[in-house]
Amino acid sequence: MVEGSALMSGEDDDQRTLIDEVITLGNVTELRRHVLQLAARAGLDTQRAENFALAVNEALTNTIRHAGGSGELALIQDDERRLIAEVSDQGPGIPRSVTITLPPPDDLDGGRGMWLATELTDHVEVHSGDGGTTVRLEMSMQHGEPSQ
């Protein structure tokens, strides 16, 4: 795992990369635990840290299930105002017709992960195309303060 001040391209000096790691089936559980620890260390209260880690886990799991079994996780702390997790993959992309909604209770095929992520975090963006998908999850360090 990478911890420290390595910056991803496009970041400014107020951002610090906490994780920049390849996602595989073998390390999803470890990444979830690490995200939880780093979220708590960054200053999120216990419930918000757990919510953030669960939302990130849902995006990680989608990468494994739907995008060829691997991807990349970057966890960024933005000037102590928010945590940002970007989960990227090289999969086939998500059709534009897909919307993030809660499936009916009798639908047992899943499909609740990204809906859950939107409920647990302050902001979610999904960018998808032929070259893959990036899910950006944001959590404000101050409860009730939406990310920008």
Side-chain angles (χ1 to χ4, degrees), residues 28-134:
V28 169
T29 301
E30 174 190 348
L31 288 172
R32 179 180 176 170
R33 278 195 301 260
H34 201 73
V35 167
L36 178 59
Q37 291 168 348
L38 291 170
R41 193 178 309 158
L44 288 178
D45 67 45
T46 301
Q47 185 62 57
R48 288 176 61 76
E50 289 174 358
N51 288 351
F52 187 69
L54 179 56
V56 171
N57 187 72
E58 291 298 329
L60 297 175
T61 302
N62 281 347
T63 295
I64 298 299
R65 286 186 181 156
H66 305 294
S70 68
E72 185 171 341
L73 168 64
L75 181 64
I76 303 156
Q77 186 169 1
D78 182 13
D79 192 25
E80 299 183 18
R81 293 178 305 178
R82 62 187 168 162
L83 286 180
I84 302 165
E86 290 188 349
V87 178
S88 303
D89 65 55
Q90 301 295 313
I94 300 170
R96 293 189 191 282
S97 62
V98 172
T99 57
I100 299 175
T101 59
L102 179 61
D106 59 347
D107 184 351
L108 302 177
D109 291 330
R112 290 168 178 77
M114 288 309 300
W115 174 83
L116 183 62
T118 63
E119 294 296 306
L120 295 173
T121 61
D122 294 326
H123 183 74
V124 175
E125 292 178 22
V126 179
H127 301 279
S128 190
D130 294 338
T133 300
T134 298

